[in-house]
Amino acid sequence: MRQIPLSKRSTYRALSNSLNIPKTSLIRLHKSGVIRRHSSTLKPYLKEDNMINHLRFCKDMLDSSSLPHDLKFLSMHNIVFIDEKWFYITKTKNNYYLLRDEEEPHRTCKRKNFIGKIGIFPFVYEQPAKRSSVNRVAGTIERKPISYVTREVNKAFLISKVLPTIKSMWPREDVGKTIYIKQGNARSHIAKSDPDFCRAASEDGFDIQMTCQPLNSVDLNVLDLEFFNAIQSLQQQEPVNSIDELIDAVQRAFDEFSCQHSDKFFSTLQSCMIEIMKIKGSNKYKIPHMKKDMLYNQSCIPTQLSCDSSLVQEVTEYLQHFDV
């Protein structure tokens, strides 16, 4: 079996043909643990510069006040992660469990481009309907998805929605302390020194600064790592038929998601940073199992993981070769 290319091992049928054995034999081998199913996810290709920047990012996320012996990661209470995420009214393919005599669902849409997409702050615009239909009369105000999010659209949402929300929710006693907004490196994202953003971010006594993730660093963004999947799984449990219903479903999923539950995601993020430091910035690692559900039920999820000081020293010495 080891000699068979992975491309011919993606299904029982393909592997059965390659080995020339019955598919039922493979199923029995799978159940007995001789073979296992593995989901392989494409990860970004990393150049040396990417890996070095990942290491620097991980090292910078350590709390300098905990040096040099009891090394811990920053609490991240003053870091706001932002990103875009497409949510869908329906999926092209769904799996269901049905009773033996239950009718199979028949799902249709005009074309795949009709599947709506939004974020927590919905990227939509409003316009009056041009024609009457069975659902509304001409002139009814409709929400339409913004199909292409540009830098100007991003900036407008940051200034008009994200910054006011941060300011309204931030503890009054911490106003004036630096708050970091961490964005990705997409072309549609604004520059850290954008004058309009900086002006709005410094109003009302706030010190809000934009920072960027390292390039090709999906595992270092807590939103992409777990949070978006958690919200989307809740949203997809509600059947929706319009953009308005989708917006409401996503907002409810966001509102109902427990803040305490998100502690698990930040523990996972810190564990990923430790693994990245162990392998010199690469993304060829498995996310370690920490029994987070059990810890969560016991109300003892660690929000600041400890990091081995010898590992940090090794990373520091390694980075010195690239700082010359």
Side-chain angles (χ1 to χ4, degrees):
M1 181 168 163
R2 297 181 192 276
Q3 308 303 318
I4 299 173
L6 291 175
S7 61
K8 296 183 178 180
R9 288 198 256 160
S10 58
T11 64
Y12 280 135
R13 184 186 298 276
L15 185 55
S16 172
N17 291 337
S18 299
L19 292 175
N20 197 26
I21 62 175
K23 189 168 67 172
T24 52
S25 298
L26 292 175
I27 295 174
R28 284 195 295 271
L29 289 172
H30 182 207
K31 288 183 176 180
S32 65
V34 175
I35 60 176
R36 61 187 178 89
R37 179 175 296 155
H38 170 68
S39 296
S40 178
T41 304
L42 281 176
K43 293 191 175 184
Y45 172 76
L46 299 181
K47 297 180 180 179
E48 185 177 67
D49 285 349
N50 297 143
M51 292 189 281
I52 296 305
N53 288 331
H54 287 181
L55 280 176
R56 289 196 177 107
F57 176 87
C58 296
K59 186 171 178 289
D60 290 343
M61 292 298 284
L62 290 167
D63 187 352
S64 59
S65 65
S66 68
L67 296 173
H69 302 299
D70 184 25
L71 291 173
K72 292 184 180 295
F73 285 97
L74 294 168
S75 67
M76 304 189 205
H77 289 135
N78 65 331
I79 300 176
V80 179
F81 290 83
I82 64 169
D83 208 345
E84 300 83 39
K85 169 68 176 176
W86 296 120
F87 289 84
Y88 299 90
I89 288 179
T90 186
K91 295 191 294 184
T92 304
K93 182 179 180 180
N94 265 342
N95 294 320
Y96 302 102
Y97 292 98
L98 304 176
L99 295 173
R100 181 178 299 176
D101 57 349
E102 193 173 1
E103 184 179 354
E104 296 179 358
H106 179 64
R107 304 164 63 241
T108 64
C109 70
K110 293 182 181 179
R111 63 175 184 266
K112 291 182 182 178
N113 290 344
F114 273 54
I115 296 176
K117 316 170 186 69
I118 66 164
I120 299 302
F121 295 107
F123 285 106
V124 295
Y125 64 95
E126 295 182 344
Q127 71 173 25
K130 296 180 180 180
R131 302 178 184 85
S132 295
S133 73
V134 295
N135 298 317
R136 76 286 181 274
V137 299
T140 302
I141 300 300
E142 293 184 304
R143 282 176 172 173
K144 300 287 186 180
I146 297 175
S147 57
Y148 186 69
V149 180
T150 64
R151 183 171 297 178
E152 289 305 313
V153 170
N154 246 321
K155 183 164 74 172
F157 270 71
L158 279 168
I159 293 175
S160 66
K161 298 180 182 295
V162 177
L163 286 178
T165 303
I166 291 174
K167 292 178 181 181
S168 67
M169 299 179 68
W170 212 257
R172 294 297 94 189
E173 63 271 17
D174 289 337
V175 172
K177 296 180 181 179
T178 304
I179 302 169
Y180 298 99
I181 295 180
K182 196 169 290 293
Q183 66 176 358
N185 282 276
R187 292 182 180 180
S188 60
H189 290 173
I190 68 169
K192 293 185 289 186
S193 58
D194 182 272
D196 297 328
F197 172 82
C198 292
R199 189 181 306 112
S202 61
E203 292 175 349
D204 306 317
F206 280 85
D207 176 21
I208 303 178
Q209 300 180 19
M210 181 67 72
T211 61
C212 291
Q213 294 279 133
L215 288 170
N216 299 324
S217 59
V218 176
D219 289 353
L220 294 176
N221 185 326
V222 74
L223 302 179
D224 288 325
L225 191 63
E226 290 195 75
F227 183 74
F228 279 150
N229 288 337
I231 296 297
Q232 192 166 52
S233 66
L234 291 174
Q235 171 259 313
Q236 289 175 347
Q237 294 175 20
E238 293 192 43
V240 296
N241 297 297
S242 68
I243 295 296
D244 287 339
E245 290 180 5
L246 179 59
I247 292 172
D248 292 341
V250 173
Q251 189 64 55
R252 278 194 296 273
F254 179 80
D255 292 339
E256 293 170 5
F257 192 82
S258 167
C259 293
Q260 289 75 25
H261 196 73
S262 64
D263 286 345
K264 296 194 295 185
F265 304 158
F266 285 92
S267 293
T268 300
L269 174 63
Q270 294 172 43
S271 68
C272 287
M273 290 192 281
I274 292 174
E275 296 303 310
I276 288 171
M277 287 192 284
K278 288 179 180 178
I279 53 177
K280 302 296 189 294
S282 174
N283 57 10
K284 191 178 180 181
Y285 67 91
K286 292 183 178 180
I287 298 177
H289 293 288
M290 301 170 56
K291 298 182 179 179
K292 293 190 293 292
D293 287 332
M294 181 187 72
L295 294 173
Y296 174 76
N297 292 332
Q298 297 174 354
S299 300
C300 55
I301 282 282
T303 56
Q304 290 178 270
L305 297 188
S306 297
C307 186
D308 183 20
S309 58
S310 61
L311 173 60
V312 178
Q313 181 61 32
E314 182 181 338
V315 169
T316 302
E317 293 174 356
Y318 179 76
L319 289 174
Q320 287 174 350
H321 296 291
F322 302 92
D323 294 334
V324 178

